[in-house]
Amino acid sequence: MKYLIDIFIQPSVVFRNIKEKPEWFKPLAFVIGMLCIISILNIALNRDLIMEQQIEAMRKRNMTEEQIDQALRYTSGPIVYVSTVFGTVLGVSIILLLFALLVNLFIPIAGGTGSYKLVFSVVTHSALIKIPAHLLRLILILIKNSLQVSTSLALFTPNLPSNSLVYQLLSSFDFFIVWEMILVAMGISITNDTKKEHAYILVFGIWLASVFLGIGIGTFFGAR
């Protein structure tokens, strides 16, 4: 489990070891397990804030008080913890699998030698960055007593409405995600014999494409 520390202080060592012996299950299981625990803690410690946010969202959808009460009864029981754990396991797994698939698909174009097992090992180890990111957000929520916290460029524009296009764009540039992408690019360069600059262009290009695609989809459905 030494890689849990090394990925933060000497990631190149971790990636050289991955090149010799790919490993994805342990880091994936650890990331998912920790994020599930943090998500459960977030619900338990901030239930009132979450309820307030849900009520506000339902009122914006013009739901009646009776409908809101029914919805709250459903989300106030143990089912909310089960759905959160299920959503975390499924969501994290799918995102990491798809991201690794896209990176591996385009590695030959970047001049490297693709290997999905190697790429997925790099991606899952880099995903360990998500743990301190979620922990920090939980701490910020508790300190501010608000769910509206950020570790992105949106910190520098606190007066922008959260539903504005500029805010959504800035909030996509989360410092921890950028750190994670840097690690992925470094790992791809080391494990797949890809030039460093090509690896960074490849990884950040895929990530930026996903950012703009996500904003575009959100804007389209938000305008309907």
Side-chain angles (χ1 to χ4, degrees):
M1 299 291 281
K2 188 173 180 291
Y3 62 84
L4 296 177
I5 298 175
D6 285 347
I7 195 67
F8 295 97
I9 58 177
Q10 44 183 1
S12 59
V13 174
V14 174
F15 296 134
R16 282 195 289 269
N17 290 336
I18 288 174
K19 187 174 184 179
E20 298 299 323
K21 187 179 179 182
E23 170 63 65
W24 58 266
F25 180 77
K26 289 179 181 178
L28 178 63
F30 190 76
V31 168
I32 290 176
M34 288 301 299
L35 293 189
C36 284
I37 292 172
I38 295 169
S39 296
I40 290 171
L41 282 174
N42 184 42
I43 294 172
L45 296 173
N46 300 294
R47 180 175 286 275
D48 291 341
L49 290 174
I50 294 171
M51 287 286 195
E52 289 175 9
Q53 186 180 68
Q54 290 175 338
I55 292 171
E56 183 181 353
M58 287 186 282
R59 283 176 176 162
K60 285 182 178 179
R61 296 203 300 269
N62 297 319
M63 292 176 63
T64 66
E65 291 301 317
E66 184 180 355
Q67 290 173 322
I68 292 174
D69 288 339
Q70 290 176 347
L72 291 179
R73 279 197 296 270
Y74 175 78
T75 59
S76 61
I79 188 66
V80 68
Y81 293 101
V82 175
S83 60
T84 295
V85 169
F86 180 77
T88 300
V89 173
L90 192 63
V92 172
S93 300
I94 290 176
I95 288 172
L96 296 183
L97 283 165
L98 288 178
F99 182 60
L101 181 64
L102 287 172
V103 172
N104 187 64
L105 182 65
F106 288 103
I107 279 179
I109 299 176
T113 55
S115 165
Y116 186 77
K117 189 174 182 179
L118 278 175
V119 172
F120 194 50
S121 297
V122 168
V123 168
T124 52
H125 279 79
S126 301
L128 289 165
I129 300 302
K130 296 182 186 298
I131 297 171
H134 281 71
L135 274 174
L136 178 59
R137 290 190 193 103
L138 175 57
I139 292 170
L140 290 174
I141 289 171
L142 293 172
I143 291 173
K144 293 183 64 178
N145 194 35
S146 170
L147 296 176
Q148 303 302 317
V149 299
S150 176
T151 53
S152 69
L153 291 177
L155 282 171
F156 303 107
T157 55
N159 297 322
L160 275 177
S162 59
N163 60 348
S164 69
L165 187 61
V166 175
Y167 183 90
Q168 292 177 47
L169 181 60
L170 292 176
S171 63
S172 299
F173 287 83
D174 185 277
F175 305 128
F176 286 97
I177 294 178
V178 173
W179 184 4
E180 185 179 347
M181 293 302 103
I182 289 173
L183 289 178
V184 173
M186 181 190 300
I188 295 303
S189 175
I190 293 173
T191 61
N192 288 270
D193 301 319
T194 307
K195 288 184 178 181
K196 186 179 294 185
E197 58 271 24
H198 292 174
Y200 277 87
I201 291 172
L202 170 64
V203 171
F204 277 88
I206 293 173
W207 172 59
L208 287 172
S210 70
V211 167
F212 288 111
L213 179 62
I215 292 175
I217 293 173
T219 303
F220 175 78
F221 284 102
R224 291 173 68 92

